Amino acid sequence: MSSHGPARPMSSRRSAPLKGEALVPGDKSISHRALILGALSVGETRITGLLEGQDVLDTAKAMQAFGAQVERQEGGEWVVNGVGVGGFAEPESVIDCGNAGTGVRLIMGAMATSPITATFTGDASLRARPMGRITEPLTLFGAKAVGREGGRLPLTLKGATSPLPVRYATPMPSAQVKSAVLLAGLNAPGETVVIEQEATRDHTERMLAVFGADINTEITPEGRVITLTGQPELTGQTITVPRDPSSAAFPVAAALLVEGSEVLVPGIGQNPTRNGLFTTLAEMGADITFENEREEGGEPVADLRVRFGPLKGVEVPPERAPSMIDEYPILAALAATAQGPTVMRGIRELRVKECDRINAMARGLEANGVNVEEGEDFLIVHGTGTPPGGGICATFLDHRIAMSFLCLGMATRNPVKIDDAGPIETSFPDFIPLMERLGASFRRENA
Ligand code: S3P
């Protein structure tokens, strides 16, 4: 899916108290990985709670193109019959990963050590994102990549015929780079080692162990050293995908913004490599309780009870960035309604997400009467309690920018308009009806 059709402008206005339960969809990161590892396993993988957003549907389609059987059963369970490590077939056509950076980067890793060739593309957002960070380590295994300038898509990857194992230190904190190298390492003989300075989300490591790979992580003075033994036989598993903390962030934020709200957000993944936003919200004075803490599918999970309350601006430590990298847009919206400045540093990676998120948030907040300061790797938002609103925000094909500004509009004096709600389909297809059921006041606008 390269495009989601005509733009769908939408506005959000000051809302009455939000009440009820928000059942957010399955974790996007875990959903991609469940499909890919299912495809690389022998036998049947059954997945419940899979995110049925466009990003993940595009990965499901890609796994079919590489030879796996992927089917949705009645009732919503997904079944993958895999081809085993090294068993990928050459796709007959171009692999279109739509908007999904995670999808394309992990799939490139998964095929890079098989003797096949594939060409990848995506939508305008994905075609603008850097892929050199993936193709560079993949060439160390013996793969060859030809892309546009900067390694951008469309890109053709020729997998290695006699892959070598690799030892690779990631030059930036990126779970996608780490995961691409580990997935490539699956079909290389010997040990593939990835070293990261800062902990990024570890779903790949956890899930590889669940599927039967020999993988371990050591904390050393060099960093986190992850060692995978190549050419394991992965076997199909039953996977329960927890609900996505990055999607939960939107109803959580909305409940914190709208006076008188109380919302329950059940079953949310609490993996420590993902929960930096909740630490930050606690520092801002947010009233969130974590109930019924438990483990599901190898991941910690809790029900979140969120109550409205005034927030204060904080300084977010840069070392927390990897554990909340996707949550800065919604944090910036919340910061606009807090008292005092919120300082976000060490966020350079936001410039190469689905869009340049520092720029998108800064411009959209300014359009709504919020003062911001912006630098190459920082954003400072000057919160004033109740921002004026009344502005139009460009969303640049970015689902999280679209949802963040719709949440902001629930607490501003005047409505906030976004130019396109379409991209929300990529990660949270039910976002608009779900928020409306809680009490949000959205309106479809004319283009
Ligand atoms: C993801 C890793 C992060 C994150 C993305 C999902 C993943 O990207 O922003 O939404 O599932 O591995 P980077 O690896 O580029 O930091």
Side-chain angles (χ1 to χ4, degrees), residues 28-29 33 102 105 133 173-176 201 325-326 353:
K28 182 154 73 67
S29 293
R33 288 160 172 80
T102 307
R105 289 175 171 147
R133 55 176 60 195
S174 168
Q176 293 174 356
R201 66 192 67 195
I325 195 67
D326 291 338
K353 295 294 175 188

Side-chain angles (χ1 to χ4, degrees), residues 54-122:
Q54 194 56 49
D55 276 16
V56 175
L57 298 178
D58 287 335
T59 289
K61 231 188 289 163
M63 291 303 98
Q64 289 171 330
F66 282 101
Q69 278 176 31
V70 184
E71 265 171 38
R72 184 186 194 275
Q73 311 270 286
E74 237 175 85
E77 195 181 31
W78 285 71
V79 179
V80 182
N81 270 287
V83 293
V85 168
F88 268 2
E90 186 163 273
E92 285 180 13
S93 189
V94 172
I95 303 295
D96 188 343
C97 288
N99 192 251
T102 307
V104 75
R105 289 175 171 147
L106 269 55
I107 296 167
M108 286 200 275
M111 67 140 284
T113 45
S114 291
I116 55 174
T117 297
T119 299
F120 297 89
T121 192

Side-chain angles (χ1 to χ4, degrees), residues 40-204:
L40 289 172
S41 294
V42 173
E44 186 175 273
T45 289
R46 305 188 79 85
I47 311 168
T48 50
L50 188 87
L51 165 63
E52 294 180 346
Q54 194 56 49
D55 276 16
V56 175
L57 298 178
D58 287 335
T59 289
K61 231 188 289 163
M63 291 303 98
Q64 289 171 330
F66 282 101
Q69 278 176 31
V70 184
E71 265 171 38
R72 184 186 194 275
Q73 311 270 286
E74 237 175 85
E77 195 181 31
W78 285 71
V79 179
V80 182
N81 270 287
V83 293
V85 168
F88 268 2
E90 186 163 273
E92 285 180 13
S93 189
V94 172
I95 303 295
D96 188 343
C97 288
N99 192 251
T102 307
V104 75
R105 289 175 171 147
L106 269 55
I107 296 167
M108 286 200 275
M111 67 140 284
T113 45
S114 291
I116 55 174
T117 297
T119 299
F120 297 89
T121 192
D123 71 4
S125 156
L126 193 58
R127 290 195 309 271
R129 297 180 68 183
M131 295 297 151
R133 55 176 60 195
I134 299 294
T135 53
E136 185 200 302
L138 296 185
T139 56
L140 304 176
F141 287 95
K144 291 196 170 54
V146 183
R148 294 190 302 129
E149 178 274 321
R152 288 180 168 71
L153 303 181
L155 176 156
T156 296
L157 191 62
K158 188 173 182 322
T161 28
S162 309
L164 303 164
V166 159
R167 185 178 176 90
Y168 190 71
T170 54
M172 72 289 287
S174 168
Q176 293 174 356
V177 174
K178 169 177 68 177
S179 301
V181 175
L182 290 173
L183 292 172
L186 280 174
N187 199 36
E191 286 185 343
T192 285
V193 179
V194 184
I195 303 144
E196 56 178 6
Q197 291 309 314
E198 295 164 89
T200 63
R201 66 192 67 195
D202 62 358
H203 306 302
T204 304

